[in-house]
Every structure is written in C-alpha cells, then in structure tokens.
Amino acid sequence: MTDPTTPTDPHGRRPVIRPGTPDNDNRDFLPSHLRGTDIVVNENGNNSQPYPTGLIDLRDLLHTDSGATGVAFIPRSAQAGPELPLVISLHGGMMAGWGQAVYSSWTLVAEREGFAVVFPDASAGGIWALSDLPAGLGGEVAGAEDFVPATSGENPDEAQIIRLIDAIAGVVSVDRSRIYMHGMSMGHGMADQFARRHGHLLAGVAGSAGATSPRTLDDEPPRTAVPVWSTQVEFDDVPTFFGTDRLTALAANRAAWVTVNRVRSSVPVVTTNGSDTVLHWRGARGDVVLRDVAGRDHGQPFDDAEQVWAFFNGLRRGREGIESAGPDVPGDAVNLIVADGSRRAVLDQQPVEMRVAPARYQSWKYHGLGGDRVLRADIVMMPTEFLAEHFGTQRRVQDAGASVSFALPDGREVRFTRGSVACLVDGHVVGMPVECVERDGDLFVPAAWFLRMTRGWWTSERDGVLYATDHWCELSVVAAAALRDALRTAVTL
C-alpha cells in the first residue's frame, strides 16, 4: 500500500492524483476492500481513485446523532472564516457514500477550488427513496427485492438531506446561496427528484447516467427553476418500468427543465472534445446542459466532477431565483450540424435554413451474395446549393440539373454529376463514397466526404445526424437524438 497522504502542489492548491494499485480481477460493483487503501478499479463505466485522504465520517464530523451516515470532505485549502460552497453528491443504487467519493473526482476538484463535499448514504440499504420505483424494483436490482417505495408522507431521503444541510452548516461555514447537488445513476434520479421538489434550496443540480420516468415528470414537474446538467454515456439504458425507450425518456427529462427554466432556443451551443459532446441551452431562469460521452458504459466519467463544477461555479440562488447567468459557453468556433429531413441547420453556432433538406443514402453490397445484400454505408447527403453557398462560390447548373459545378475556397473547380460515384476536381477524377443523387431539383453529395475533402474538417455521423468541426469529434446516440430534436426529422432516399 502506498502512503495514504495526498500530496498537493507546493505552488498552489492543485491536488495530485496518487498512484494506485489496479485490481483488474475485481467483478464486484463496489468492492469493500477499496476502503482505506490505494487499490483502484477501472472498467468501461466506473473508474476509481485511491481512497481519498481527508474523508471524514459524518458521525464524527457532526458530533450529533443526526441519523445521517456517509462521509464528507472539507478541503485543507479552505480558510477559516469565509463561507464555503457545498456540493452534495449522491451514490448509485446499492452503493454507499464512500464509494461515490472513490468513484468520482469530487475530492480532487474540491481541494483545488475550495468547497466542501458531502457523500451521504441512502436511508434504505443503498436504495434511494424514489417515487417512480416499483416495489422490489421489479426484480431489476439484485438485493432490492424487498424494497418498498416511499409513496406518501415525508420522503426519508429528502428529509435526511435537508437535515444534513443544516447539520453541516452547524459545523462548517456554508454559503447557503451556493448549495449544489450531484448524483450518479439512481443518485442522479434522486438529485433530480430533490431538485424538482426542493429546488429553492439549490443553485444547481447535476447527474450522471440516470433519468426520471416520463410518467413521474407528467405527475410532478419541477416546481422551481434550477440550472441543470445531465451526463449520459453511450452504452446505457433505462429501467423497463419506465415504460418507454431511453431516448424518449431523456428527451422528456430535458423538456421538463427546458420548460421551467424558460430556455430561449431549441438549438443548443455545442462544444466537442473527441468523444465528449456538450450541448448547452441558455435559459432565462436557468441553463440546461447535456453532456454525452461516446464509447462508455453505465457509470460516471471520472472527470465529470471537473466539468460539472465548471458549470456550478458562480451560480448563486437569491431571493428572486438564480442570480447569475452561469458560465459563458461560446462552443466550437466553427461547426455544422444537419439532420436528414430537416431544412434547419446550424452553421458556426447560428441557425440557417436550406431550401432543400438533407437526406440519408444507404449504400449496399449486392454482388456475390446470391441475391442477398449487406449495408455498407448510411450517409447524410447534402444539396450542392447549400454547399456552394457556404463552402464555395456561385454554382453553375448544367444538363437540365443533372450536373453542378462550383469553385472551392482554394480556387479548385469541382463538378458533380447525377449517378456518378466520382466528381471532377480541376478535371481530375476523384472518387466519392457513394454516387450523386438528384432530389427536389438539386444534386446531393455525401456531406462528410465533402467537408473532409474541401475543409479538412472532422466529421461524425450518427442516425442521420451529421456534426462537423475543425477538430476531433465523435457523436454518441444521445447527443445525436438531442440535435435531431433541435433541428427536426427525417426522410430516407
């Protein structure tokens, strides 16, 4: 075991991630042997750090029989006197508060930024008292077969969290205008429920890999505007008792907060960083943010606390609601967002309209398959009219619309012809992934190929949605669906 002391940057408050001992043979969701050791567990969903030094048992911190269990972290960088922001981070189902501290980076960010974090335990054996849970959780969670939901009266976990805030404020100087909540999985659902019912206590709420059932949102929408952040991962799902698919459920969750937070536009500001896509909707009463991470399984990305805190930091709740506008998010400096069937697009973060909507084209392999076929490409096709207007010069239409040519920004002339899998660039034959097709009086060409060839942009296509920018980007299904909702839908050639 390594020295349990967490070193800090001698030149400031920067924390240091201690080396850990990997336990790749582990198959438990939260192995008890992580507690108090340097052992780390990493998979394609949950990642851990060595057990953070400085975690305090809530019973020791509060010096009172408040009934609350879990752990807390008070940064050594905090000076005596000034009030501290407070983050309450809720663990996933069948877990515990100390596990949320290990499986997140909240302690690292708190040490650097100077805020307190509390990781409480759920009151019923790791199961949060969510109103949308069926008795026994429908057999979907092992060990929770005897669970009985809190359907009436005082919710035990909500009441415990409210008492915990008061108890923490009794021993730590807490800035009541800067109390935030975050949860993972079932804890995400609990954070959402608490914010819907007690949003007046919070300056912001966030969650990772969780959701609330649409039926519950219909019965009990948010009462108070709260800036809200949701992190989703690609390989995930919602419980069957939601009665709907995941993308529909997530859209309903987003819509509930979009409404109460008075979001101004359906089109978000988009920021991409490789497999990480963040969609930010500005609201008059509070912003709504979706972070979508491609290639990950159920769990919270270990850097989620870093990004969530950047969203929380500066948000304050006053007597009239949220007093600050939240962080300024310019998004990607250059980008293009299109969806098949939608005449509305986004270019450099601004909505634009097309005369003819993009469409999807499916390329098939036929030969040598004995009459069968195999899908080889599902491509977003764009009209040359739009491409020439925004990425070239005035186009020339020939052959009764069957041929189109225009100049590229670098002066090269490109000519497209209906039915040809190649175009001519300055008279040279250049192959494309699929042939040009004609629709609504225009020629359609493969959009990703065009943007890569003419601009050198990175592109990502998912389910008929294309995102393009000047750096690495990779859409997951959730971001693609949210962008489609923003632009509208769908036709296939």
Side-chain angles (χ1 to χ4, degrees):
M1 184 185 302
T2 62
D3 183 348
T5 301
T6 301
T8 56
D9 188 328
H11 303 295
R13 300 190 305 190
R14 268 188 245 169
V16 176
I17 299 177
R18 291 186 292 123
T21 301
D23 182 9
N24 295 325
D25 293 331
N26 166 70
R27 295 296 180 269
D28 294 329
F29 184 51
L30 180 62
S32 60
H33 62 257
L34 296 185
R35 192 164 192 175
T37 75
D38 74 334
I39 296 174
V40 292
V41 172
N42 292 298
E43 56 163 356
N44 198 45
N46 289 304
N47 309 115
S48 74
Q49 61 170 315
Y51 193 83
T53 189
L55 286 183
I56 309 169
D57 190 288
L58 282 179
R59 289 166 294 194
D60 295 333
L61 175 66
L62 301 178
H63 302 295
T64 179
D65 187 18
S66 67
T69 61
V71 295
F73 181 82
I74 311 299
R76 289 171 294 177
S77 60
Q79 301 295 318
E83 295 180 330
L84 298 180
L86 173 64
V87 172
I88 303 163
S89 188
L90 309 180
H91 61 75
M94 308 301 290
M95 288 181 64
W98 71 265
Q100 179 66 2
V102 168
Y103 276 10
S104 74
S105 54
W106 276 115
T107 58
L108 300 171
V109 180
E111 181 63 47
R112 186 191 71 231
E113 298 292 327
F115 59 86
V117 193
V118 178
F119 305 94
D121 296 334
S123 61
I127 302 296
W128 296 103
L130 297 177
S131 61
D132 59 357
L133 296 182
L137 296 184
E140 293 190 46
V141 178
E145 293 82 5
D146 297 327
F147 173 76
V148 177
T151 55
S152 62
E154 182 182 78
N155 183 286
D157 287 319
E158 293 172 22
Q160 184 74 283
I161 290 171
I162 292 172
R163 289 193 296 267
L164 179 58
I165 292 173
D166 291 334
I168 291 291
V171 296
V172 178
S173 183
V174 172
D175 185 346
R176 293 274 188 164
S177 72
R178 299 185 68 193
I179 297 176
Y180 314 97
M181 185 171 289
H182 166 268
M184 179 269 189
S185 189
M186 183 180 283
H188 186 169
M190 187 65 204
D192 182 79
Q193 178 172 295
F194 189 94
R196 295 198 324 272
R197 296 176 176 179
H198 310 287
H200 62 284
L201 299 177
L202 302 177
V205 64
S208 309
T212 298
S213 71
R215 285 192 297 259
T216 299
L217 293 170
D218 288 340
D219 295 338
E220 189 179 14
R223 302 172 185 173
T224 305
V226 182
V228 61
W229 174 294
S230 174
T231 293
Q232 298 296 324
V233 291
E234 181 172 11
F235 306 124
D236 205 357
D237 209 342
V238 293
T240 58
F241 58 76
F242 274 26
T244 189
D245 64 274
R246 181 189 181 209
L247 296 180
T248 300
L250 293 178
N253 279 242
R254 195 163 55 249
W257 289 106
V258 159
T259 299
V260 72
N261 286 357
R262 293 189 181 177
V263 166
R264 300 163 183 165
S265 171
S266 66
V267 178
V269 174
V270 183
T271 306
T272 56
N273 181 16
S275 58
D276 203 332
T277 302
V278 177
L279 280 58
H280 196 126
W281 288 267
R282 182 69 77 188
R285 291 182 171 178
D287 294 355
V288 176
V289 178
L290 167 66
R291 179 191 182 193
D292 186 32
V293 185
R296 288 194 67 89
D297 289 277
H298 181 76
Q300 59 192 346
F302 191 71
D303 66 348
D304 213 33
E306 190 73 62
Q307 296 203 33
V308 169
W309 178 252
F311 174 66
F312 283 164
N313 192 18
L315 293 174
R316 294 179 178 272
R317 178 167 290 280
R319 293 181 178 179
E320 303 301 321
I322 301 301
E323 293 183 337
S324 56
D328 181 33
V329 182
D332 292 341
V334 296
N335 72 344
L336 176 68
I337 312 169
V338 297
D340 64 296
S342 173
R343 293 177 56 245
R344 192 181 197 188
V346 171
L347 180 62
D348 298 341
Q349 304 291 354
Q350 297 299 317
V352 293
E353 295 286 333
M354 289 179 275
R355 184 183 64 83
V356 181
R360 290 164 79 172
Y361 185 88
Q362 295 180 328
S363 178
W364 299 87
K365 162 70 175 175
Y366 294 102
H367 298 134
L369 298 178
D372 202 354
R373 65 177 187 171
V374 177
L375 181 64
R376 291 301 190 202
D378 190 349
I379 294 175
V380 175
M381 305 282 283
M382 290 192 66
T384 55
E385 181 181 57
F386 180 86
L387 296 176
E389 178 183 357
H390 295 284
F391 300 99
T393 62
Q394 185 175 3
R395 64 180 188 150
R396 295 193 304 275
V397 179
Q398 300 166 297
D399 302 327
S403 297
V404 168
S405 61
F406 57 87
L408 300 174
D410 58 11
R412 292 177 296 167
E413 184 182 63
V414 58
R415 179 184 172 91
F416 300 100
T417 303
R418 182 185 64 211
S420 177
V421 77
C423 64
L424 292 175
V425 180
D426 282 346
H428 295 270
V429 179
V430 177
M432 299 183 295
V434 296
E435 69 269 26
C436 295
V437 294
E438 190 174 4
R439 177 175 176 265
D440 293 338
D442 202 351
L443 278 184
F444 279 57
V445 300
W449 171 87
F450 179 87
L451 294 167
R452 291 172 182 174
M453 189 271 291
T454 64
R455 291 296 180 94
W457 280 9
W458 289 81
T459 62
S460 180
E461 294 181 75
R462 199 63 182 262
D463 298 337
V465 176
L466 169 75
Y467 189 87
T469 187
D470 60 358
H471 56 270
W472 175 30
C473 60
E474 184 179 348
L475 287 185
S476 176
V477 290
V478 178
L483 291 174
R484 176 180 289 285
D485 286 346
L487 298 178
R488 305 196 175 92
T489 39
V491 70
T492 299
L493 289 175

